[in-house]
Amino acid sequence: MHRPALCTALAVSLAAVLGTTACSGTGGNARVESAEASGDGVLRVGLVLDNTGDNAFLNQPQLAAAKLAVQDINAAGGHKGRPVELLPAHPDQDTAGQAKSLLAAKADVVIGPTDSSHAEAAVDVLSRAHIPLISPANTAAGLTGMASGGYYFRTAAADVAQGPVLAKLAKDGGAASISVLYQAGSYGKDLQAAVTEAAKQSGLTVLPGAGFTTGDAATAAGSIAKTKPDAVVLIAREGAQGALSALNGAGLGGSRIIMSDGAFARYGSGLGPKVLDGARAVVPGQLPSAAFQAKLLAVDPTLKDVSYAAETYDAVTLAALAAARAQDDAGRSIAANLIPVSGGTAAPGAGTAAAPCVTYKACLGGLAAGPEINYDGESGPIAFDANGDITMASFSVFTYGPDNIPAPSGRETAGHPG
């Protein structure tokens, strides 16, 4: 989940080499450095639940998923025969306050936050104590390479990962040329660049695009219409509905429209009839399986939404597998083993990943045979790279009907070398 404010910690030349730097005095890159055992024998998992107001509902699926993951881990024997503990969450506190509370409770790893703009506050506290932070929802592109000392990971793909998918949808729909209409701001500009590059690489002709500010998309839509593109990729968040109206007014609508995740919504009567008939949109992640949803409901029968649940479940499971591989529950050891247990690599072209294992129990069995495992979880393949980013991202594709309501219509994946 992305909002504009990103990490403003010191950026030094080491970032380009290791993918991260010191944050608040934490040096090196814990993702690739060896660590000596220093844990107390009990693996403790903390949660930063940072959603408030209209987004407060997002706390519930993440909490349910974390409880379910700990339940499954303990059913398989826990960590070295002892139960894994899920520490109490404190959503009433701000992000830094929650991190400090978890630190005081002896957390070995922390899952969260949801909002990208809160990542720095959590890292600032936790990296000092050598505690890894794994976000199930941070998507801001600027967090790649954030100064964390190697203690920051995320099981959600960066926004720009959808660039190749948006270009592919245009080409698969028969387009030979595209234009990009994007909302001003880092999200729009970064993703516009990713779409443009991917489109060129796929052989599409990229016609002049245009940026716009919220509530003022008519001029930009008109300039794009003059180029007569086969398809228009709309990259927007709160300005999406106005941009879609402007595009329709300029003669661009229906199946010619492809939308980024920020523009995805149930527009219904908010737009004229059939304005989006045949339009497509992408949403990060894959729809949770019926079996996984049933297990979540068994944990929390009141659950109404499953946003970020799969990514949260996988974050907890990966942390436990990293501790199992290290035979140590300390944060340093977990950070040093997250890349290997995810099937990733800190060095591109370093070799072929092991065959996937899809549960904590199965992966634990794999570790008994050797150090190389490859956890593919409820959210799909993960494979962390040297930045703590996943290298393979899954996206759900939705197609709009004449009522401007989206329905699931497919799934795409995009990735980059580790």
Side-chain angles (χ1 to χ4, degrees), residues 87 98-107 131:
L87 299 173
Q98 292 186 59
K100 291 174 182 176
S101 293
L102 293 171
L103 184 59
K106 299 183 179 180
I131 297 174

Side-chain angles (χ1 to χ4, degrees), residues 123-146:
V123 166
D124 188 53
V125 173
L126 298 171
S127 65
R128 296 171 185 264
H130 307 129
I131 297 174
L133 177 72
I134 311 174
S135 172
N138 289 171
T139 60
L143 293 175
T144 294
M146 177 178 66

Side-chain angles (χ1 to χ4, degrees), residues 250-343:
L252 297 169
S255 60
R256 298 172 73 178
I257 303 298
I258 300 167
M259 289 177 271
S260 70
D261 66 323
F264 174 76
R266 294 170 60 89
Y267 290 100
S269 59
L271 294 172
K274 298 185 178 182
V275 166
L276 294 181
D277 191 14
R280 288 157 292 162
V282 299
V283 176
Q286 55 192 34
L287 295 174
S289 67
F292 182 59
Q293 291 187 57
K295 291 176 69 175
L296 288 169
L297 285 170
V299 171
D300 182 356
T302 69
L303 198 62
K304 303 294 184 184
D305 188 277
V306 293
S307 298
Y308 309 121
E311 291 82 0
T312 300
Y313 181 94
D314 289 345
V316 176
T317 303
L318 283 162
L321 288 170
R325 186 177 191 270
Q327 286 294 291
D328 181 42
D329 57 275
R332 279 184 180 271
S333 296
I334 294 171
N337 285 275
L338 277 167
I339 292 176
V341 299
S342 73

